[in-house]
Amino acid sequence: MLGLDTIRVMGRVECGRLRENGAGLVSTIDQLDLFHAEIKARLETILRLSEDIGSAMSRFVKADPDG
């Protein structure tokens, strides 16, 4: 995630530096922003689900009379 943030920031800086010639770069960075948001949401979902699974496994292990 940090790498994506760095690329986006550097791209925004470059757009500001290029001004008129950076129009194509702006659309690419906007696409990166969308992909970044989607990846972040998916990672947060994976994290939440893994925490749920971990909690369920802990309850299962505690409830197991042989464990």
Side-chain angles (χ1 to χ4, degrees), residues 11 15 18-32:
C15 281
L18 293 175
R19 294 198 181 138
E20 301 86 29
N21 297 334
L25 191 55
V26 170
S27 65
T28 302
I29 293 171
D30 289 342
Q31 287 178 344
L32 281 174

Side-chain angles (χ1 to χ4, degrees), residues 39-53:
I39 290 169
K40 182 179 178 183
R42 287 181 183 193
L43 288 173
E44 288 171 350
T45 299
I46 290 169
L47 177 63
R48 184 177 40 79
L49 291 172
S50 67
E51 289 171 347
D52 291 347
I53 291 169

